[in-house]
Amino acid sequence: MSAVTVMGRTLAVALTGMHGHLVEVEADIGQTLPGFVLLGLPDQSLQESRDRIKAAARNSGLPLTRRHLTVNLVPAALHKRGPGFDLAIVMASYAADGQVRHADGPVFLAELGLDGRLRHAPGILPSVMAAVDAGHPEVVVARESVAEAALVPGARVRGYGSLHEVIRAFGGEPEAPTVVPPAQDAALVGGGTPPVGGAGEASGAPAAPAEGAAPAADLRDVSGQHEARFALEVAAAGGHHLLLEGSPGAGKTMLAERLPGILPPLDDRTALEATAVRSLSGRVQDRTGLVRGAPFQAPHHSASMAALVGGGSGIARPGAASLAHGGVLFLDEAPEFDRRVLDALRQPLESGAVVLHRSGGTVRYPARFQLVLAANPCPCGWGGERGSRCRCTALQRRRYAGRLSGPLLDRVDLQVTVPAVDAAALTSGPAGEGSATVRARVLAAVDRQARRLAPLGLHRNAEVPAGLLREGPLAVDPAARAAADDAVDRAELTARGHARVLRLAWTIADLRGADRPVAEDVDTALYLRRRGEGEHTA
């Protein structure tokens, strides 16, 4: 009578963009010639794990079986990528050989070093989210990944420093490791809601800058520019997009870099999504808390389409638009960007997400950011200034303006000119308000929006659908919006532009503490969007 074959089984997670799929790792030991076969559509980095796993097991004091080992990753039709399957594969192999017990319950998410050390694997946060959603809250990760994994509500995280420790924790009896990694004790983080970042959130102080955030800077540093400062405040309060146009040295970049300092902290859902994007891209530096401060991304104007919106072979990776989720995407010298790259932002500006189709699958990344564009008025930069410094012809100016397409500009709510600062403002003018003062007004306006929009499932004025601005509880009074209606009739506003003006009017009303917009608010919104459709050539 033949002996019963023992099948080793463990669980892991395969990521397709931000979406995780639970993967069952099966291991079978046969009686044929020695070998190690890995099945189930593994990529090259996962194929290489065979030699990595064998070395780690040997150096941890419990070598893998000398017989034929077959490991299958189920579902077989799903592509698997990366080194995050290492620990699940080795534990399934041990289970098939009867060396460990009860390894079929937790989800194993860690990379192995040749010395048996457990290393952090990119994408821990979305992987743990997928495991918890699939009904498997217990996860085993590298010690350095514990804090990040514990950010997921409901997760029960066990962290270890080496494979030797994991073997002993699951009933194995390894010999002394031949290569001893740095001593680390197991860490267990309980299942309650983990502590989150956001220093000063209760007091209203600015949250700590996220990875990729602008250096700490204060609006007090900006001389003059009262109109641009007000536009920045309106953009922060309502979540609106902004175009700053002016000559070199006027302060466009200074203003843009100070926008994150007056934005409210990220809510729990946005913070979790922003942290997950960084985890997936391997850019999380501090894994002890969620990203609470508004992210700030400022790619160079030579950035490719893949760098800006995401891309790459196989499964597309997130770009700067997704890394700026919940914060600011600043494009300095915007007309110098490739026009196709800029126009690729049109879809995420409307939907708040980037959907990328590749041969390896379709992925969706969150990308609800505030777009800030900075541009010169012409190629030489001095058009429109006092004096006669501009050397550009009318045709050159038109071509330069045409690099920013009409459909893209139609999605930018605030379009303001940043004039050159005169000597009086630089040397003797009164200092402007600091970021803390402006941020207090922004937080008050955001709170008004949250209370008004909560029954509709919305958060900021920039998210309000156009239909609700014309009919229903958020409709602007016809008499108040008359100027915007006239602008549509004169072909100075598109239907989309009309809705954006009304959203701006609501934000301006919120900043002055009013219950509803009045005609003056609509007039101000139109003024802040005065660089309308007729002034740009698509």
Side-chain angles (χ1 to χ4, degrees):
M1 188 173 181
S2 60
V4 177
T5 301
V6 177
M7 184 80 71
R9 289 185 173 87
T10 57
L11 296 173
V13 172
L15 288 174
T16 304
M18 292 278 289
H19 183 63
H21 305 267
L22 202 66
V23 172
E24 185 176 355
V25 182
E26 301 175 331
D28 176 71
I29 298 175
Q31 304 299 325
T32 57
L33 293 174
F36 189 166
V37 178
L38 189 57
L39 307 174
L41 288 183
D43 73 344
Q44 183 60 36
S45 64
L46 193 48
Q47 286 285 6
E48 294 172 352
S49 69
R50 294 177 297 177
D51 293 329
R52 188 166 59 243
I53 288 169
K54 286 190 289 186
R58 182 178 66 254
N59 292 329
S60 298
L62 189 60
L64 294 181
T65 178
R66 296 178 180 271
R67 292 177 289 172
H68 188 84
L69 176 62
T70 302
V71 175
N72 185 36
L73 307 177
V74 181
L78 179 69
H79 287 271
K80 290 86 178 178
R81 296 172 174 82
F85 291 87
D86 289 4
L87 185 57
I89 292 173
V90 72
M91 292 302 290
S93 303
Y94 284 147
D97 202 22
Q99 301 286 354
V100 297
R101 301 185 299 275
H102 310 300
D104 56 346
V107 178
F108 294 90
L109 302 168
E111 177 184 349
L112 290 174
L114 296 183
D115 58 358
R117 187 185 313 180
L118 267 60
R119 299 181 180 274
H120 175 78
I124 284 292
L125 187 59
S127 296
V128 176
M129 292 168 61
V132 172
D133 290 343
H136 295 273
E138 186 177 356
V139 295
V140 177
V141 299
R143 168 178 280 276
E144 60 184 301
S145 305
V146 168
E148 181 179 333
L151 295 173
V152 180
R156 298 197 299 272
V157 185
R158 299 167 62 180
Y160 299 92
S162 67
L163 177 58
H164 184 86
E165 296 176 10
V166 180
I167 296 170
R168 293 178 63 86
F170 285 85
E173 298 179 354
E175 298 177 358
T178 57
V179 178
V180 181
Q184 293 174 324
D185 298 326
L188 175 64
V189 179
T193 300
V196 293
E201 182 179 346
S203 64
E211 182 275 325
D218 199 285
L219 271 173
R220 196 179 301 275
D221 303 331
V222 180
S223 300
Q225 307 300 0
H226 303 294
E227 179 183 314
R229 289 168 62 98
F230 178 66
L232 202 71
E233 183 176 339
V234 173
H240 304 290
H241 308 303
L242 173 65
L243 168 65
L244 301 169
E245 183 185 272
S247 58
K252 303 185 296 295
T253 301
M254 286 185 68
L255 287 162
E257 288 178 344
R258 282 149 181 78
L259 178 57
I262 62 175
L263 288 174
L266 306 187
D267 59 61
D268 290 343
R269 177 177 177 180
T270 304
L272 194 61
E273 291 172 340
T275 309
V277 171
R278 279 163 173 70
S279 174
L280 190 63
S281 63
R283 299 194 181 192
V284 174
Q285 296 175 345
D286 179 10
R287 301 191 179 101
T288 60
L290 296 175
V291 173
R292 286 292 179 176
F296 183 88
Q297 293 290 320
H300 190 262
H301 62 255
S302 62
S304 65
M305 181 112 46
L308 194 60
V309 300
S313 60
I315 293 296
R317 308 289 292 176
S322 294
L323 292 170
H325 178 63
V328 177
L329 178 63
F330 175 45
L331 303 185
D332 202 1
E333 303 295 344
E336 302 298 332
F337 281 79
D338 186 281
R339 178 165 170 165
R340 294 173 302 172
V341 173
L342 290 176
D343 283 343
L345 294 173
R346 286 154 54 178
Q347 180 248 344
L349 285 176
E350 293 289 338
S351 65
V354 172
V355 181
L356 301 168
H357 295 262
R358 295 294 184 271
S359 59
T362 300
V363 296
R364 183 183 186 277
Y365 295 115
R368 190 169 295 282
F369 53 86
Q370 284 185 247
L371 178 65
V372 179
L373 304 171
N376 294 325
C378 61
C380 79
W382 303 109
E385 286 297 305
R386 299 182 302 272
S388 56
R389 299 182 64 180
C390 181
R391 302 180 302 275
C392 304
T393 65
L395 179 60
Q396 287 175 322
R397 292 187 188 184
R398 216 153 89 194
R399 285 178 175 172
Y400 190 76
R403 295 181 184 179
L404 299 178
S405 70
L408 175 64
L409 288 175
D410 195 32
R411 291 166 168 83
V412 179
D413 310 79
L414 296 146
Q415 302 177 21
V416 300
T417 298
V418 184
V421 181
D422 57 27
L426 282 175
T427 58
S428 59
E433 293 179 316
S435 292
T437 303
V438 176
R439 188 173 190 267
R441 290 198 297 267
V442 168
L443 291 178
V446 169
D447 182 63
R448 293 181 66 87
Q449 293 169 52
R451 286 186 275 111
R452 180 176 65 245
L453 300 177
L456 303 173
L458 304 172
H459 301 89
R460 307 289 289 280
N461 287 333
E463 304 171 13
V464 178
L468 293 180
L469 296 167
R470 300 177 183 118
E471 295 181 1
L474 299 180
V476 179
D477 185 74
R481 69 168 195 255
D485 295 345
D486 291 343
V488 173
D489 292 338
R490 295 193 303 269
E492 295 175 358
L493 277 181
T494 64
R496 181 191 289 117
H498 183 266
R500 291 185 179 274
V501 165
L502 298 184
R503 294 186 188 108
L504 283 175
W506 269 108
T507 301
I508 295 167
D510 288 328
L511 282 170
R512 62 182 182 85
D515 292 332
R516 302 192 68 82
V518 296
E520 183 180 353
D521 299 323
V522 176
D523 290 342
T524 303
L526 279 169
Y527 177 75
L528 293 174
R529 193 187 164 84
R530 67 186 181 279
R531 299 174 74 258
E533 285 78 358
E535 300 181 23
H536 285 271
T537 303

